[in-house]
Structure formats: C-alpha cells, structure tokens
Amino acid sequence: MSNEKEPQKSTEEVEQEVQTEAAGDAVEQQEELVLDEAAGPAEETVDAPVEVDETAALKEELEAEQNKYLRLLADYDNFKRRSQKDRQDAEKFRSQSLLVDLLPVLDNFDRALSVETKSEESASLLKGVEMVQKSLIEAVKREGLEEIKALGEPFDPNFHQAVMQEKDETAEPGIVLMELQKGYTLKGRVLRPAMVKVNE
C-alpha cells in the first residue's frame, strides 16, 4: 500500500465537478419529463379515435339490426296477409274442382233435353230428366256457379271464346250470334269461357 496522499483539488475544481453533476442530473430529469409528456398525449390521441370508432361501429351495427328487424316484420306481415287471403280463397272456391267436373254433366243434360219427343213415354222420360237437371242447377247455384250470358251480348274476351265468325247485316259487329257451348263462372272467377260465334 502506498502512503502517498492524493493531490487535493482546488475549490474551483470541486465547484466545477458539482456543476457538471448538477447539469447532468438536470439533463436526465428533462429527458424523463419530455418522455413522460410524449407518452401521455400519445396515449390520449390513440384512445380518443378508438373510442369514436367504437361508437360509430356500434351505431352502424344498431342501424343494421333495426333495418333487419323492420324487414323481418314487413315480411311477416306480408306472409300473414297472403296466408289469410289463401285461406279465404280456399274457403270461397272450395267446390271449384267438383264444379269443373260437373260442367260436362250439365252439357249432357242440355243435349238430352234438346231432343224432340215423339211419344208420351219419351216425353215423360224427358220430363224426369228435366227435373233432375233443375235440381242439379239449383245445387250448383247455391255453391256460386253462374252461367255466362253470351247470346246477343257484345263479345268479351274475358268471358267468351270466339271459335267462329259470320257476317250478319242485321246485327252489329262484335255481337255474339250463337252460343256453341255454355260458359260458367264461380263467384266471379271464370271456370270455362263460353264458346261462341261472333258477328264480323
């Protein structure tokens, strides 16, 4: 070990070292302060836009869900109305298929009754057929079946089917001259148009 003493520093040198250390400490404190300030506002600026974006996204999602709900509600109302109309139509026209099947029977009755009778026996038989026809017509009328008027009426493509044309000077153009097959409607719905001959 050496007994030599370290040379003593002068007062000016000591003051200079103290000032240097103080300046270094001040610089470090200033850097920490700058870093803290830089970190603080950066977090605030990041938080604010994220919060705004989340609010906007939630609003858009809410609007989308509300629109979806309104569309579903409208679809349900439409479905309910369609179902109700279908039920009403099914009730109103429940006998349509049966009546369509009976139309040829009504045609056959008309043909049978158009035959001329030559004897009392055939006349009485024809009378019985006429009674059956009347009963059948009354039954189908109760279900809503109606005959389409054709003879002497203006031609209507909604109710008449023109299969022939003829020139008749005594009648106006477009008037039905002859009914070849009767047409029928069921509560306003055409089951079969009348087959007719129309004046040119």
Side-chain angles (χ1 to χ4, degrees), residues 89-103 139-145 186-187 189 191:
D89 286 348
E91 177 64 25
K92 186 176 180 181
F93 300 107
R94 70 186 186 282
S95 58
Q96 178 174 335
S97 60
L98 175 63
L99 292 175
V100 168
D101 291 340
L102 286 176
L103 294 183
V140 294
K141 278 186 177 176
R142 282 195 297 271
E143 288 297 317
L145 188 74
L186 175 61
K187 297 178 182 177
R189 179 187 286 181
L191 292 186

Side-chain angles (χ1 to χ4, degrees), residues 90-131:
E91 177 64 25
K92 186 176 180 181
F93 300 107
R94 70 186 186 282
S95 58
Q96 178 174 335
S97 60
L98 175 63
L99 292 175
V100 168
D101 291 340
L102 286 176
L103 294 183
V105 177
L106 293 172
D107 293 339
N108 289 333
F109 272 114
D110 288 336
R111 290 188 194 98
L113 292 172
S114 66
V115 175
E116 292 184 12
T117 57
K118 296 182 180 177
S119 65
E120 285 185 21
E121 189 176 316
S122 59
S124 63
L125 182 63
L126 208 58
K127 186 74 173 172
V129 171
E130 191 176 353
M131 289 171 64

Side-chain angles (χ1 to χ4, degrees), residues 35-124:
L35 287 173
D36 289 344
E37 286 177 358
E43 288 177 2
E44 288 176 8
T45 52
V46 167
D47 285 347
V50 167
E51 197 172 306
V52 170
D53 288 346
E54 286 178 3
T55 306
L58 287 173
K59 282 182 180 178
E60 287 178 11
E61 189 176 342
L62 179 62
E63 285 178 14
E65 290 298 323
Q66 285 176 338
N67 289 336
K68 185 177 176 184
Y69 168 74
L70 291 174
R71 281 195 300 273
L72 284 172
L73 189 63
D75 287 344
Y76 176 70
D77 286 342
N78 290 337
F79 170 74
K80 209 161 81 172
R81 277 197 297 272
R82 279 195 307 270
S83 298
Q84 187 175 2
K85 186 179 183 304
D86 289 345
R87 279 196 305 272
Q88 289 172 349
D89 286 348
E91 177 64 25
K92 186 176 180 181
F93 300 107
R94 70 186 186 282
S95 58
Q96 178 174 335
S97 60
L98 175 63
L99 292 175
V100 168
D101 291 340
L102 286 176
L103 294 183
V105 177
L106 293 172
D107 293 339
N108 289 333
F109 272 114
D110 288 336
R111 290 188 194 98
L113 292 172
S114 66
V115 175
E116 292 184 12
T117 57
K118 296 182 180 177
S119 65
E120 285 185 21
E121 189 176 316
S122 59
S124 63

